[in-house]
Amino acid sequence: MTKPEFKDDFIFNIKKIEQIEPLLLTAAGQTRLKNAVEKSERANQNQKKQIQKNIETAGFTCLQCGKCCERTEADNSVYILPEEIEQIEAAINLSRNEFILPMLPDYFESAGNIEKNYLFNVLQSLDAQIDKDGQIHTFGWMLQRKNDGSCIFLDSETKKCAIYEIRPGLCRTYPFYIDEDGFSDCECDGIGKVKKTDEIVVNDLIAALQKRVISDQEDYIKTSAVIKEKYDRLKLNSDEGNDLLKEQFEKNTISFVVYDSTGVYSVDVLIKMN
C-alpha cells in the first residue's frame, strides 16, 4: 500500500481534548445504542431481498475510471468514521493530520480548484456553528482532497485508490446508499453497463451497505452523547465570534472543534494558499 500524494494548501494539527467514554457510559445511553443497533439489524434483514433485486437490476459494473474520486462537476466529499481513520493510520503509517479534515460543505469551486475567498465564504456560511472565540464547531471528518479537488488517495496516473482494501464505507458502497428514504443510487457511468450486476459484486455491496447502516447509526448515537454534554452549552453565532474568525482567516489560520463518536478534538489549520 503506497502513501498518497499530499496537498500543501493546508497544514492540520489535530488534538483530542476529551474522551467520549465518560459521557456515553450511562444506562440510558447504552440502552438507546443497543435498541438502535437491533432495529437496524432487523431492517437490514427485512430489506435484504429488495436491496439485492435493486442492485442486480441496476446492471452495475465498476469501470475503474476514477470519476467518483475526482472533483469534476459534483461534490466528492467522503465522510469517514473514526474506526476507518484508525485503520488507515495503521495500514500505511500515516498521521490523521495528513489525510483528514473537519467535515465541511464543499469548498471547491466548479472548476475543481480551491480559491481562498470562496473558502472564506463557505466558512462564513457556518455562522450558526461559530463560537465566541471564532472557532467553528462541526461533527465528524472527511478525507482531504488534492489541489485539483480529487481525493488524496487517488493516484493521478493510474486512477487507482491507494487504500482500496481499507477504503471508507461510503466508497465501498458507491454508487449505492441507504438513508431514511430507503435504497438509492448516485450518478455513475457504471450503472446500466451490463444486463445484470455480477453476483459477487451484489453480495459484496449488500454486506457493505448493511454494515454501513449500522456503523453510521452507532456513530450518530455516540456523537450525540458528546453534543448533549458540550455543544448545547455553547454560545454560538455572535458578532464577536464572526469578527474573530475573519481576523484569524486574514492571518491564514482557522480553528475548529470537532465532535465524533470517540470524543472532542481541537483542530488548528494553517492556510498556505495565497
Side-chain angles (χ1 to χ4, degrees), residues 29-39 221:
Q30 291 289 0
T31 299
R32 182 185 174 202
L33 181 58
K34 179 175 180 291
N35 290 342
V37 170
E38 289 177 351
K39 181 180 179 180
I221 291 172

Side-chain angles (χ1 to χ4, degrees), residues 198-209:
D198 181 81
E199 182 179 356
I200 294 176
V201 174
V202 172
N203 291 334
D204 287 347
L205 283 166
I206 290 173
L209 283 163

Side-chain angles (χ1 to χ4, degrees), residues 31-264:
T31 299
R32 182 185 174 202
L33 181 58
K34 179 175 180 291
N35 290 342
V37 170
E38 289 177 351
K39 181 180 179 180
S40 293
E41 289 175 341
R42 289 195 298 271
N44 277 342
Q45 192 59 37
N46 293 337
Q47 297 170 0
K48 186 173 182 179
K49 287 185 179 180
Q50 185 60 50
I51 293 171
Q52 179 178 350
K53 181 179 179 181
N54 289 338
I55 297 175
E56 285 176 346
T57 57
F60 170 71
T61 184
C62 180
L63 304 179
Q64 300 184 23
C65 61
K67 288 185 178 179
C68 55
C69 309
E70 295 174 330
R71 200 327 183 157
T72 51
E73 296 180 358
D75 182 7
N76 65 329
S77 302
V78 175
Y79 175 75
I80 183 168
L81 296 173
E83 63 186 50
E84 296 169 335
I85 294 171
E86 293 172 1
Q87 286 180 332
I88 295 171
E89 284 182 307
I92 45 181
N93 193 29
L94 281 180
S95 161
R96 60 185 59 201
N97 291 312
E98 298 177 281
F99 66 93
I100 64 170
L101 74 158
M103 192 68 190
L104 293 170
D106 190 27
Y107 53 87
F108 282 83
E109 293 189 289
S110 58
N113 295 306
I114 307 171
E115 206 281 322
K116 190 174 179 181
N117 289 334
Y118 185 79
L119 171 62
F120 182 65
N121 291 335
V122 170
L123 297 178
Q124 277 197 314
S125 73
L126 303 174
D127 53 1
Q129 298 167 223
I130 302 170
D131 68 21
K132 62 181 180 61
D133 297 316
Q135 296 178 309
I136 301 171
H137 292 249
T138 188
F139 314 104
W141 308 94
M142 59 193 288
L143 288 180
Q144 293 181 26
R145 286 171 284 182
K146 293 180 283 191
N147 296 344
D148 63 359
S150 61
C151 176
I152 192 171
F153 289 113
L154 178 69
D155 186 298
S156 301
E157 295 183 1
T158 66
K159 303 298 183 182
K160 303 294 184 183
C161 174
I163 57 165
Y164 186 78
E165 296 302 323
I166 55 167
R167 64 198 185 281
L170 187 148
C171 306
R172 194 172 293 274
T173 61
Y174 191 88
F176 305 107
Y177 64 94
I178 299 173
D179 59 17
E180 60 274 9
D181 297 322
F183 177 89
S184 192
D185 58 64
C186 308
E187 183 176 346
C188 175
D189 291 347
I191 292 179
K193 287 297 182 182
V194 293
K195 185 176 181 180
K196 184 178 181 182
T197 307
D198 181 81
E199 182 179 356
I200 294 176
V201 174
V202 172
N203 291 334
D204 287 347
L205 283 166
I206 290 173
L209 283 163
Q210 293 185 327
K211 180 181 178 181
R212 182 178 164 193
V213 167
I214 293 174
S215 296
D216 285 352
Q217 184 71 18
E218 288 180 326
D219 185 75
Y220 172 77
I221 291 172
K222 290 179 181 179
T223 305
S224 296
V226 179
I227 296 170
K228 182 175 179 58
E229 293 293 328
K230 298 292 177 184
Y231 186 76
D232 291 345
R233 301 177 187 175
L234 295 169
K235 180 182 179 182
L236 302 173
N237 197 17
S238 67
D239 291 339
E240 178 186 8
N242 283 276
D243 288 343
L244 279 172
L245 172 66
K246 182 177 181 180
E247 181 181 322
Q248 292 165 6
F249 192 84
E250 288 174 349
K251 295 178 181 177
N252 290 326
T253 61
I254 319 170
S255 294
F256 295 88
V257 177
V258 181
Y259 305 82
D260 73 15
S261 59
T262 66
V264 186

